[in-house]
Amino acid sequence: MYVLGISCFYHDSSACLLKDGKIVAAVEEERFSRKKHDNSFPINAINYCLDSQKINIDKIDHIGFYEKPFLKFERILYQHLEMFPLSLKTFVASMPSWLNEKIRVVKIIKKQLKYKGDVMFIEHHMAHAASSFLVCPFEKAAILTVDGVGEWATTTYGLGNKSNIHLMKEIKFPHSLGLLYSTITAYLGFSVNNSEYKVMGLSPYGQMNKEKNKYYRKLQKVIDIKEDGSYKLDMSYFTYHYKDRMPSKKLCDLLEGPIYKRDSKVTQKHKDIAAAVQLITEDTIMKMLTHLYNETKCQNLVMAGGVALNSVCNGKILKNTPFKKIWIQPNASDGGTSIGVACYIYNTIFKKKRNYIMTNAFLGPEYSDKETKDFLDKNKIKYTSFKDEKDLVKTTAKLIYDNNVIGWFRGRMEWGPRALGSRSILSDPTNPNMQEILNSKVKHREKFRPFAPVVCEDDALEYFDCDKPVPEPTDYMLMVYPVFKKWHKKIPSVTHVDGSGRLQTIRRSQNELYYDVIKEFGKHSKIPILINTSFNIRGEPIVCTPFDAYKCMMGTGIDYLVMNKYLVKREDNPQDMWDCEKYARD
Amino acid sequence: MNKINAFLKEFKTGLGLFGQNIALFVNSFLLFVVYLTGVGFTWIFAKLVGKCFLDIKHEKTNTYWDDLNLKTKPEKEYYRQF
Ligand SMILES: [Fe+2]
């Protein structure tokens, strides 16, 4: 049985194909369209899913969509009715897309895919819950989903058992922890639905002592949090329920100044406000989770929704709640719901036993050695070939040790927002100047954001103060843990100002050569850790094809590109026609 | 001949853009009318009967969790968009 899951028209459109209960392909549309967070109908992603199995649409037994569009439309209409006449501008701006596509999903799917069957619709937070629970390693788990908003729900909790999910309680729009975080993101001059992770990265620079952070006390007026983790926002501080601007004048007054302009200089006030919203988020999540444990008495926890990408908060969960084990899907945000809807149809609606556990995120397209060679030859690109895999590992590790920045392009592309060793940029974290080198050569990102380390899972506890055993979401860069103090000065480019690191752990079974390069690098440097950052130009999606990878290398300062069994040196090739840095944006 | 073709092509593109702008203007105007009449009258009626569409009042209670009780439903329920 083939089931196709689709998520689109909000942000991060994606598609997922399930074959007899196993995920055989999953990918976001942005990787093909090259538009970051692309929300259009994921026709390229769907075509990839079908092509990967060499099937056409007639072979698909069921198609599922990641929300109930009419329920969401009802909520939108209710917002306009409640906020009349303040919502006029948003009404005129948003209605065309609602009338043309969002409530015509069935027609669009049938027309675009020439699909003759019916389409199934799953509630948005159920799709989130299913996206994590139905592929997790636990038979039974407590589930928490927290995002901006689905149809009406913004937060839900429940219990998953075998193939069934029971979502017991919810918090409804307009009260939303995700939208509170996004509002502060907007206030600080960062882009919403994109730069929330920057606020998280900025927070350790601020005052993390609750008593001393005046913005923490101020933000407590904005949200009323109960002991059971339920919360309510004071909506007079917000305008997102009727305007495209999120903070209200009252919130600006509370935070002592107008909304920051884009790219304005980061000040101590920025940092303290970032710290305050991070602390509020952590307070709420910990209380919710303690309540959830008391309600379910289940020691396994599964989380989903955009807020579950808050890796700083995630790293504190097992220490601060009664839960013993945690699982989060690598694509916990809306993009990941296509997996949820497909699994829900197969396992829950059609009552098929779960027969798939997600053990890695490599679910996207891959390119064979022949395809890579054809691309290189056709474009007259100079390259050399590795003799064998051993040569590849040794040469790459030595190049990294010699302070080169390496574009690493091998295997199936990652599912989710993080590069995890298929489309990564690798470099030496022991070089104290590497953060600056990477920033000047490739990333041009804010100074306050350190790079992420990747370490073999069996070495992680030597360098990082992780929970034991190291939780699997760490494989997907979803957990931030302290770096042991003695290593702070030895791996400065990946140690954050508060001594933490957003590490990725890698197991050899997930990606052999990536694992071997890290170990081999350790033989040179005595520290088997690399910097792993996503293979993209700032503001663009992660590279997908050999063309994207080569273009990215030539337009930036990446020194070498390891592309399957071939090695391309930037200096050997003409660079003038590949100046993509001018397209960099954020 | 080439010049005429090029002119016609440009003319067609221009006409298309002009049409798009007109459509945008007409759509916006119609939506404005719908907003004032449809949404506006419903709003007045709702105010008269005291109906609230969004929970934006700041009323404190012991808990803000609402019952959801969402479980597996019969298959046919999932073909509905609501
Ligand atoms: Fe969501």
Side-chain angles (χ1 to χ4, degrees), chain A residues 363-401:
Chain A
L363 299 168
E366 72 176 330
Y367 297 85
S368 64
D369 285 338
K370 186 182 176 306
E371 284 169 308
T372 311
K373 189 175 186 313
D374 288 348
F375 163 76
L376 293 168
D377 291 340
K378 201 178 144 201
N379 290 284
K380 299 188 174 55
I381 294 165
K382 288 184 187 147
Y383 63 91
T384 53
S385 306
F386 293 110
K387 272 187 283 180
D388 49 28
E389 290 186 344
K390 209 169 155 189
D391 180 31
L392 187 156
V393 169
K394 280 190 176 295
T395 309
T396 308
K398 184 71 173 58
L399 286 172
I400 296 171
Y401 184 65

Side-chain angles (χ1 to χ4, degrees), chain A residues 402-433:
Chain A
D402 291 339
N403 285 319
N404 291 292
V405 177
I406 307 293
W408 175 262
F409 182 102
R410 287 189 60 85
R412 296 189 74 176
M413 187 174 65
E414 300 88 344
W415 167 244
R418 307 276 166 256
L420 300 169
S422 280
R423 307 287 188 272
S424 288
I425 294 172
L426 306 176
S427 58
D428 178 359
T430 62
N431 179 342
N433 301 319

Side-chain angles (χ1 to χ4, degrees), chain A residues 222-416:
Chain A
V222 169
I223 182 168
D224 180 23
I225 311 165
K226 297 287 178 199
E227 270 315 296
D228 62 5
S230 64
Y231 60 88
K232 197 166 195 177
L233 300 179
D234 179 342
M235 292 312 294
S236 60
Y237 290 103
F238 303 89
T239 59
Y240 59 72
H241 48 307
Y242 61 93
K243 243 183 180 177
D244 51 2
R245 211 182 75 142
M246 300 182 85
S248 72
K249 167 91 177 43
K250 193 173 168 186
L251 185 63
C252 294
D253 291 344
L254 183 77
L255 298 177
E256 302 162 351
I259 298 171
Y260 282 92
K261 290 204 171 67
R262 271 238 172 149
D263 298 323
S264 53
K265 197 171 162 267
V266 173
T267 61
Q268 190 54 44
K269 185 179 158 189
H270 272 86
K271 297 169 186 172
D272 288 342
I273 293 176
V277 74
Q278 181 64 27
L279 287 167
I280 293 270
T281 304
E282 290 173 15
D283 285 353
T284 319
I285 297 283
M286 297 311 161
K287 282 182 176 169
M288 272 185 210
L289 290 175
T290 308
H291 175 69
L292 174 57
Y293 178 82
N294 291 336
E295 291 284 292
T296 59
K297 295 283 180 259
C298 181
Q299 295 190 333
N300 303 325
L301 170 67
V302 155
M303 284 173 66
V307 177
L309 291 176
N310 192 314
S311 46
V312 173
C313 179
N314 296 343
K316 297 174 183 170
I317 287 174
L318 295 188
K319 282 191 184 76
N320 292 288
T321 69
F323 288 104
K324 294 275 180 282
K325 288 181 179 173
I326 183 170
W327 162 264
I328 304 167
Q329 202 239 118
N331 202 351
S333 189
D334 278 6
T337 52
S338 55
I339 276 189
V341 71
C343 293
Y344 193 81
I345 290 172
Y346 184 85
N347 298 122
T348 312
I349 300 176
F350 291 107
K351 300 183 173 37
K352 307 264 188 197
K353 222 175 150 191
R354 282 161 59 192
N355 59 357
Y356 174 87
I357 294 173
M358 192 181 278
T359 53
N360 65 65
F362 306 121
L363 299 168
E366 72 176 330
Y367 297 85
S368 64
D369 285 338
K370 186 182 176 306
E371 284 169 308
T372 311
K373 189 175 186 313
D374 288 348
F375 163 76
L376 293 168
D377 291 340
K378 201 178 144 201
N379 290 284
K380 299 188 174 55
I381 294 165
K382 288 184 187 147
Y383 63 91
T384 53
S385 306
F386 293 110
K387 272 187 283 180
D388 49 28
E389 290 186 344
K390 209 169 155 189
D391 180 31
L392 187 156
V393 169
K394 280 190 176 295
T395 309
T396 308
K398 184 71 173 58
L399 286 172
I400 296 171
Y401 184 65
D402 291 339
N403 285 319
N404 291 292
V405 177
I406 307 293
W408 175 262
F409 182 102
R410 287 189 60 85
R412 296 189 74 176
M413 187 174 65
E414 300 88 344
W415 167 244

Side-chain angles (χ1 to χ4, degrees), chain A residues 10-11 66 124-125 128 147-150 305-306 333-334 337:
Chain A
Y10 188 46
H11 57 90
Y66 81 126
H124 184 68
H125 275 254
H128 269 311
D147 72 352
V149 59
S333 189
D334 278 6
T337 52

Side-chain angles (χ1 to χ4, degrees), chain A residues 68 70 81-82 87-88 91 120-121 123 166-170 175 224 226 228 230 232 344, chain B residues 35 43 53-55 61-73 77-81:
Chain A
K68 297 262 192 191
F70 287 7
L81 286 168
E82 182 69 35
S87 58
L88 170 65
F91 183 85
M120 303 180 100
F121 296 88
E123 292 83 359
H166 176 202
L167 291 181
M168 300 182 255
K169 301 273 180 180
E170 67 175 341
H175 308 287
D224 180 23
K226 297 287 178 199
D228 62 5
S230 64
K232 197 166 195 177
Y344 193 81
Chain B
Y35 187 75
W43 177 78
F53 293 97
L54 279 188
D55 171 28
T61 51
N62 288 337
T63 179
Y64 297 127
W65 288 116
D66 285 333
D67 284 331
L68 175 60
N69 201 20
L70 188 59
K71 289 181 185 170
T72 320
K73 295 177 278 191
E77 296 278 317
Y78 293 102
Y79 294 105
R80 291 203 329 227
Q81 297 192 49

Side-chain angles (χ1 to χ4, degrees), chain A residues 403-466:
Chain A
N403 285 319
N404 291 292
V405 177
I406 307 293
W408 175 262
F409 182 102
R410 287 189 60 85
R412 296 189 74 176
M413 187 174 65
E414 300 88 344
W415 167 244
R418 307 276 166 256
L420 300 169
S422 280
R423 307 287 188 272
S424 288
I425 294 172
L426 306 176
S427 58
D428 178 359
T430 62
N431 179 342
N433 301 319
M434 193 44 80
Q435 187 171 359
E436 217 176 301
I437 294 171
L438 266 178
N439 265 330
S440 67
K441 281 189 170 181
V442 196
K443 287 294 195 173
H444 308 280
R445 66 188 200 181
E446 298 84 352
K447 278 207 178 78
F448 63 81
R449 291 168 55 204
F451 287 95
V454 54
V455 60
C456 298
E457 190 262 343
D458 45 306
D459 290 327
L461 291 168
E462 167 74 20
Y463 301 92
F464 300 92
D465 190 6
C466 305

Side-chain angles (χ1 to χ4, degrees), chain B residues 3-23:
Chain B
K3 272 188 177 169
I4 295 172
N5 276 344
F7 170 76
L8 284 175
K9 205 177 154 192
E10 289 291 309
F11 183 72
K12 253 177 138 178
T13 319
L15 212 63
L17 282 173
F18 181 69
Q20 274 175 23
N21 283 330
I22 292 286

